[in-house]
Amino acid sequence: MKVAIIGAGLVGSLAALNFARMGNEVHLYEYREDIRTAELVQGRSINLALSQRGRKALAAVGLEQQVLATAIPMQGRMLHDVRGRTSVVLYDPCTKQCLYSVGRKQLNEVLLNACEKLPNISCHFNHKLTSADIREGVMQFKRAEEHITASADLIVGCDGAFSKVRQHMVKAAGFNYSQQYIEHGYVELCIPAKSGEFQMPPNYLHIWPRDTFMMIALPNQDKSFTVTLFMPFKNFAAIKTPEQLLEFFNKFYADAVPLIGEERLVQDFFKLKPQYLLSVKCQPYHFSDKALILGDAAHAMVPYYGQGMNAGMEDVTLLTSLLNKPLKLQEVLEQFSEMRWQDAHTICDLALYNYVEMRDLTKRWSFRCRKWLDTLLFRLFPIFWVPLYNSVSFTSMPYSKCIANRNWQDRFLKRSFAGALLAGLAAYLGALYFRGLHAS
Amino acid sequence: MKVAIIGAGLVGSLAALNFARMGNEVHLYEYREDIRTAELVQGRSINLALSQRGRKALAAVGLEQQVLATAIPMQGRMLHDVRGRTSVVLYDPCTKQCLYSVGRKQLNEVLLNACEKLPNISCHFNHKLTSADIREGVMQFKRAEEHITASADLIVGCDGAFSKVRQHMVKAAGFNYSQQYIEHGYVELCIPAKSGEFQMPPNYLHIWPRDTFMMIALPNQDKSFTVTLFMPFKNFAAIKTPEQLLEFFNKFYADAVPLIGEERLVQDFFKLKPQYLLSVKCQPYHFSDKALILGDAAHAMVPYYGQGMNAGMEDVTLLTSLLNKPLKLQEVLEQFSEMRWQDAHTICDLALYNYVEMRDLTKRWSFRCRKWLDTLLFRLFPIFWVPLYNSVSFTSMPYSKCIANRNWQDRFLKRSFAGALLAGLAAYLGALYFRGLHAS
């Protein structure tokens, strides 16, 4: 089968590897130049949190260890309060599992290098998809001034949140679709290395939660941190001058100002407009046996659960397992859509929710109390009581099962709490009664 | 200002009239031929229920009476049970307001004739929009084999549920969008006139509710009824032969079979595939001061509340009122989006809900009981207690206020019911107590 994969990013190149290993003729089209020789693109998140689902997908193509070798483990969140005091919340105090900060460029390089080793993958960079007839499997590309026509039995759109392949599928009857922007945007800043060393402890995801906005930082291999400030657009709009910016930072992120450096802060903050964040939901993900979308093209999400890349890579794991079954391609794609959409919708919603948790709840007593209870129960019953964050990040449990699990846990705790109250009341009444008996 | 309106349907031609009356240069583009000289298009609903919001919009351009003169009033629902017995539920037993069954073609004709009387409206039929640069206000059309370029200060998309103008707006950052298909489709059938007369009482919307599916019929001016069968796609797929169709109809719609005629039933049922039904939600409805969408392009809905056309016409009423204020165009469009999206989302959701009501609830005791209570309270307190259906169909109350109203009524009734129960219990206990006193 001739498979055209649109987009040679993380999910596209991983999908290419999997299709090729099953003996298909794979053509991998990318509208940018080869990322291995390209300058970094400002505005796209340059480091990502790799967790279990991504690791599993990389392991299946024999690349997990190579990627982990250069990744930076993050064992928990380090919270920075307004006075600069820090505290740590471990992701997994029981079994010490970590997230791994990986560079987008490095990871993409590893995947593309693996693609190039397979004779049945052809990479076509600088090919911009201009239109497609998904019914007929015909695509039009533009390379510089040249127009190129290509065809394939299956077109796989791994072309990101603004997917061109999806644009053609949205027109088909019965294709459910939504795109939802949040009212918060982001800008990327940088805490550079100092004297060749990290300026903060590297093995954490640093968070500055500030209720309605927040800042985070992930470590890079070059000992710098990529810092991302998330805030409502109206707050961004209110900061017009370097003075206003420094006033704002000195008020809310005072400890970060000397690490970033005032000059660099001003320069980076005003370099680009704040970027938009959106959730994309689709159902189904395929069109007949002719087209399919994976990753952000199918389910772009806000970045707050660190699951965007992991969910995209898990798409490939599921698809590959179905392709290895004795099914017709149409059945594979149907089953893929059917098995995947609820999980994808769930993680999109969880990612939105986690923004509230990260910027606000982590500071609250009730949240910390629940977290402590979760950890205790996880320690006591590691099979039965896996907290939500852990099931999402450190297992391959379907996302919708993770949330069903959490709902069950919530009900259990509520009932236990009510049960404990009732038991206490019964004991009290019992005591009164017996005292009464005794007195009479 | 030069305004290009894409789509010369009901909303497009009404919008053209309003823009022209304010002195703008209006170009009305339509990809079909002139509906006044065209054959009817199979599969598009050919009659529609006009209610208060549509009437108000027509009145504003002096066309209400002309339209009502040929419309057929429907004073309520006539329900047909499986045994062919009928019962009537009036829409408005208090003030006797009606819905009006109007022909799409006749109504469109009235509007287009009015457009042609205004010197500053140019109609361009057979012009298919192929692409648009909404930032620059430039449009490409195709007429037969000819390519035509046109420009405008403002592009107004009134081009229906699959709007081409919207396709360009969806690509803009910050544009929230969803399209949701339901799992039910529809086919259109016909109960012809017999000896020049209606075969059923004409002044009702006829409904055959059958739990998971239903059939409806609206009267036409030529004394026929347009019949629409709504059903899950899987049920349609199960009917493969004329014998299966007749068996199905004789089981569920026995009274309609002789009215439609077996031969015609078979012919019409198998002529076209069942059509899809979808909800569209957007927010905002404009792009800068360059483009705007109205009607189905902005908020297509399933047809179960009879509000699709009425909501589209109400868009024009709101837009016109804003254009008449001393505001910049950008401000007008911003305010239009801001004031309209919640109401549009609400009526989309209500339309979905009403499918459940029409096919299932109308038969239930609890629904009829609530309806009776609603009517009683409406009679007693016509200002304070307007039932949901009446506020939607017979007032211009914003849709979101209609639903807030209903929620308040639900809470009130629940509390009253709980209050009545408590009062009853108190009375009973009181009686017991006094009997006890008396006995002692």
Side-chain angles (χ1 to χ4, degrees):
Chain A
M1 176 169 71
K2 190 171 168 185
V3 182
I5 294 175
I6 312 300
L10 305 176
V11 174
S13 47
L14 181 66
L17 278 177
N18 280 273
F19 273 106
R21 286 157 60 103
M22 284 182 272
N24 298 292
E25 177 189 341
V26 178
H27 292 267
L28 184 55
Y29 297 95
E30 167 62 43
Y31 92 88
R32 293 191 184 84
E33 60 186 315
D34 190 338
I35 196 171
R36 291 168 294 183
T37 55
E39 286 291 304
L40 268 183
V41 184
Q42 176 86 22
R44 295 184 73 210
S45 163
I46 60 169
N47 52 17
L48 302 150
L50 179 68
S51 54
Q52 174 56 25
R53 294 161 207 267
R55 288 175 60 180
K56 187 176 167 190
L58 290 169
V61 290
L63 296 174
E64 184 191 14
Q65 290 314 317
Q66 190 183 341
V67 171
L68 287 189
T70 60
I72 300 168
M74 299 183 292
Q75 52 189 290
R77 297 165 171 170
M78 182 171 277
L79 306 177
H80 298 242
D81 75 9
V82 275
R83 290 208 251 159
R85 293 173 304 192
T86 59
S87 57
V88 164
V89 183
L90 295 180
Y91 288 125
D92 183 6
C94 307
T95 52
K96 309 280 180 206
Q97 294 187 88
C98 294
L99 302 183
Y100 290 84
S101 179
V102 294
R104 180 189 291 275
K105 188 176 151 109
Q106 288 90 334
L107 180 51
N108 214 157
E109 274 176 9
V110 168
L111 287 161
L112 285 173
N113 288 341
C115 282
E116 281 195 337
K117 287 193 189 129
L118 294 182
N120 51 338
I121 301 183
S122 315
C123 295
H124 310 270
F125 295 101
N126 301 306
H127 276 62
K128 183 176 181 179
L129 184 73
T130 53
S131 75
D133 181 341
I134 54 172
R135 249 166 256 273
E136 301 297 325
V138 178
M139 299 153 287
Q140 309 288 334
F141 295 95
K142 204 173 166 193
R143 185 178 60 184
E145 292 306 301
E146 191 185 357
H147 291 273
I148 297 159
T149 301
S151 69
D153 301 308
L154 176 66
I155 299 174
V156 184
C158 303
D159 46 348
F162 302 96
S163 169
K164 195 94 187 176
V165 176
R166 189 184 64 220
Q167 275 178 30
H168 292 280
M169 292 172 65
V170 164
K171 294 176 197 167
F175 190 83
N176 296 309
Y177 174 70
S178 83
Q179 63 181 44
Q180 190 73 35
Y181 286 83
I182 64 172
E183 290 178 5
H184 294 232
Y186 71 93
V187 296
E188 279 192 2
L189 307 167
C190 180
I191 295 178
K194 191 173 176 184
S195 318
E197 278 311 316
F198 283 110
Q199 292 200 66
M200 300 189 296
N203 296 116
Y204 299 98
L205 196 158
H206 293 263
I207 310 183
W208 291 256
R210 297 294 180 264
D211 299 343
T212 57
F213 50 96
M214 72 167 181
M215 194 165 80
I216 65 169
L218 272 78
N220 294 319
Q221 273 182 276
D222 66 359
K223 317 258 164 146
S224 65
F225 285 87
T226 299
V227 179
T228 316
L229 173 65
F230 297 96
M231 215 162 50
F233 281 104
K234 61 174 195 283
N235 297 28
F236 277 113
I239 300 174
K240 294 191 181 77
T241 64
E243 292 69 37
Q244 287 171 333
L245 175 66
L246 291 174
E247 190 190 342
F248 170 77
F249 259 76
N250 283 321
K251 182 168 177 193
F252 291 108
Y253 306 113
D255 62 335
V257 175
L259 307 182
I260 302 174
E262 291 196 358
E263 195 179 336
R264 182 158 192 165
L265 171 61
V266 169
Q267 191 184 326
D268 285 356
F269 184 90
F270 291 108
K271 187 152 55 182
L272 280 181
K273 272 197 213 172
Q275 306 285 299
Y276 282 89
L277 292 159
L278 86 164
S279 277
V280 165
K281 292 179 183 172
C282 306
Q283 190 255 333
Y285 298 119
H286 70 288
F287 175 80
S288 175
D289 60 350
K290 304 302 286 178
L292 176 70
I293 45 176
L294 298 175
D296 281 359
H299 46 65
M301 62 193 77
V302 296
Y304 306 113
Y305 226 110
Q307 284 292 309
M309 169 185 69
N310 291 285
M313 290 184 159
E314 194 178 49
D315 288 352
V316 180
T317 305
L318 173 62
L319 178 65
T320 305
S321 76
L322 291 171
L323 285 166
N324 280 323
K325 287 186 182 175
L327 295 168
K328 286 183 194 162
L329 182 58
Q330 167 103 30
E331 292 167 339
V332 165
L333 303 188
E334 275 168 12
Q335 287 196 22
F336 177 81
S337 286
E338 194 49 40
M339 291 173 74
R340 196 59 180 155
W341 74 268
Q342 276 166 312
D343 288 327
H345 289 202
T346 300
I347 190 62
C348 281
D349 292 339
L350 271 177
L352 280 170
Y353 159 78
N354 217 43
Y355 188 28
V356 183
E357 178 171 322
M358 288 175 86
R359 70 184 198 222
D360 183 19
L361 300 184
T362 44
K363 298 189 316 184
R364 294 203 184 190
W365 179 86
S366 58
F367 173 79
R368 294 205 180 189
C369 180
R370 169 67 200 253
K371 186 98 189 162
W372 175 84
L373 201 58
D374 259 350
T375 306
L376 178 71
L377 288 164
F378 188 24
R379 255 184 229 271
L380 293 173
F381 315 105
I383 308 285
F384 289 109
W385 196 279
V386 184
L388 179 62
Y389 193 88
N390 301 65
S391 64
V392 168
S393 299
F394 303 125
T395 77
S396 295
M397 185 189 288
Y399 292 122
S400 49
K401 207 177 154 207
C402 297
I403 198 78
N405 216 22
R406 167 66 175 220
N407 292 339
W408 166 86
Q409 292 169 354
D410 279 346
R411 281 198 306 276
F412 179 84
L413 286 183
K414 254 184 213 152
R415 280 185 200 158
S416 303
F417 187 68
L421 269 185
L422 278 178
L425 189 66
Y428 178 71
L429 290 175
L432 282 185
Y433 177 74
F434 280 107
R435 212 171 68 178
L437 273 188
H438 186 78
S440 66
Chain B
M1 176 168 69
K2 189 171 168 186
V3 181
I5 295 175
I6 313 298
L10 306 175
V11 174
S13 47
L14 181 67
L17 277 177
N18 280 274
F19 274 106
R21 286 157 61 103
M22 284 180 273
N24 299 291
E25 177 190 341
V26 178
H27 293 266
L28 183 56
Y29 296 95
E30 166 62 44
Y31 92 89
R32 294 191 184 82
E33 59 187 317
D34 189 338
I35 197 171
R36 293 169 293 184
T37 55
E39 287 289 305
L40 268 184
V41 184
Q42 176 85 23
R44 294 184 74 211
S45 164
I46 61 170
N47 52 19
L48 302 151
L50 179 69
S51 54
Q52 174 55 26
R53 295 161 208 268
R55 287 174 62 180
K56 187 175 167 189
L58 290 169
V61 290
L63 296 174
E64 184 191 15
Q65 290 314 316
Q66 190 183 340
V67 171
L68 287 187
T70 60
I72 301 169
M74 300 183 293
Q75 53 188 287
R77 297 165 170 171
M78 181 171 279
L79 306 177
H80 297 242
D81 74 9
V82 275
R83 291 207 252 161
R85 292 173 305 192
T86 58
S87 57
V88 164
V89 183
L90 295 179
Y91 287 124
D92 184 4
C94 306
T95 51
K96 308 280 179 206
Q97 292 188 88
C98 294
L99 304 183
Y100 290 84
S101 178
V102 294
R104 179 189 291 275
K105 189 177 152 103
Q106 287 91 335
L107 180 49
N108 214 157
E109 275 175 10
V110 168
L111 288 161
L112 285 173
N113 289 341
C115 282
E116 282 196 337
K117 286 193 190 127
L118 295 181
N120 50 340
I121 300 184
S122 314
C123 295
H124 310 270
F125 296 100
N126 301 306
H127 277 62
K128 184 177 181 178
L129 184 72
T130 53
S131 75
D133 181 341
I134 54 173
R135 249 166 255 274
E136 300 297 325
V138 178
M139 300 154 287
Q140 307 290 334
F141 295 95
K142 205 175 164 189
R143 185 178 61 183
E145 292 308 299
E146 192 184 357
H147 291 271
I148 297 159
T149 302
S151 68
D153 301 308
L154 176 66
I155 300 173
V156 184
C158 303
D159 46 348
F162 303 97
S163 169
K164 195 96 188 173
V165 176
R166 190 184 64 221
Q167 275 177 30
H168 292 280
M169 291 172 65
V170 163
K171 295 177 197 167
F175 189 82
N176 296 310
Y177 174 69
S178 85
Q179 62 182 46
Q180 190 73 34
Y181 287 84
I182 64 171
E183 290 177 4
H184 293 232
Y186 72 92
V187 296
E188 279 192 3
L189 307 167
C190 179
I191 293 178
K194 192 173 175 183
S195 317
E197 279 310 317
F198 283 109
Q199 291 199 67
M200 299 189 298
N203 296 115
Y204 299 98
L205 196 159
H206 293 262
I207 310 183
W208 290 257
R210 298 294 182 266
D211 299 343
T212 56
F213 50 94
M214 72 167 182
M215 193 164 80
I216 65 168
L218 270 80
N220 294 319
Q221 274 183 277
D222 66 359
K223 318 258 164 147
S224 66
F225 284 88
T226 299
V227 179
T228 315
L229 173 65
F230 297 96
M231 214 160 51
F233 282 104
K234 62 174 194 280
N235 297 28
F236 276 113
I239 300 173
K240 293 190 181 79
T241 65
E243 292 71 37
Q244 287 172 334
L245 175 65
L246 291 174
E247 191 191 341
F248 171 76
F249 260 77
N250 282 320
K251 184 169 175 192
F252 291 108
Y253 305 113
D255 62 334
V257 176
L259 307 182
I260 302 174
E262 291 195 358
E263 195 180 337
R264 182 158 193 166
L265 171 60
V266 170
Q267 192 185 323
D268 285 356
F269 185 90
F270 291 108
K271 189 152 53 183
L272 279 181
K273 274 197 214 173
Q275 306 284 299
Y276 282 89
L277 292 160
L278 85 163
S279 278
V280 165
K281 293 178 182 171
C282 306
Q283 190 255 333
Y285 298 120
H286 70 288
F287 175 81
S288 174
D289 61 349
K290 304 302 285 180
L292 176 69
I293 45 176
L294 298 175
D296 282 359
H299 46 63
M301 61 193 78
V302 296
Y304 306 113
Y305 226 110
Q307 284 293 309
M309 169 186 69
N310 292 286
M313 290 182 159
E314 194 177 52
D315 288 352
V316 180
T317 305
L318 173 61
L319 179 65
T320 306
S321 76
L322 291 171
L323 284 166
N324 280 324
K325 287 185 180 174
L327 296 169
K328 285 183 195 161
L329 182 57
Q330 169 103 28
E331 292 167 337
V332 166
L333 303 189
E334 275 168 11
Q335 287 196 21
F336 176 81
S337 287
E338 194 49 39
M339 291 173 75
R340 195 60 179 155
W341 73 269
Q342 275 167 311
D343 288 327
H345 289 203
T346 300
I347 190 62
C348 281
D349 292 339
L350 271 178
L352 279 170
Y353 158 79
N354 217 42
Y355 188 28
V356 183
E357 177 170 322
M358 287 175 87
R359 70 183 197 223
D360 183 20
L361 300 183
T362 43
K363 297 190 319 185
R364 294 202 186 192
W365 178 85
S366 57
F367 173 80
R368 293 203 181 190
C369 181
R370 169 67 199 254
K371 185 96 190 165
W372 175 84
L373 203 58
D374 259 350
T375 306
L376 178 73
L377 289 164
F378 188 25
R379 255 184 228 271
L380 293 174
F381 314 105
I383 308 286
F384 289 109
W385 196 280
V386 184
L388 179 62
Y389 193 88
N390 301 64
S391 63
V392 168
S393 300
F394 304 125
T395 77
S396 295
M397 185 189 289
Y399 291 122
S400 49
K401 203 176 160 210
C402 296
I403 198 77
N405 216 23
R406 167 66 174 218
N407 292 339
W408 166 86
Q409 291 170 353
D410 279 346
R411 281 198 304 276
F412 178 83
L413 286 184
K414 254 183 214 151
R415 278 182 201 162
S416 304
F417 186 70
L421 269 184
L422 278 178
L425 189 67
Y428 178 72
L429 290 175
L432 281 184
Y433 176 74
F434 280 109
R435 213 172 68 177
L437 275 189
H438 186 77
S440 66

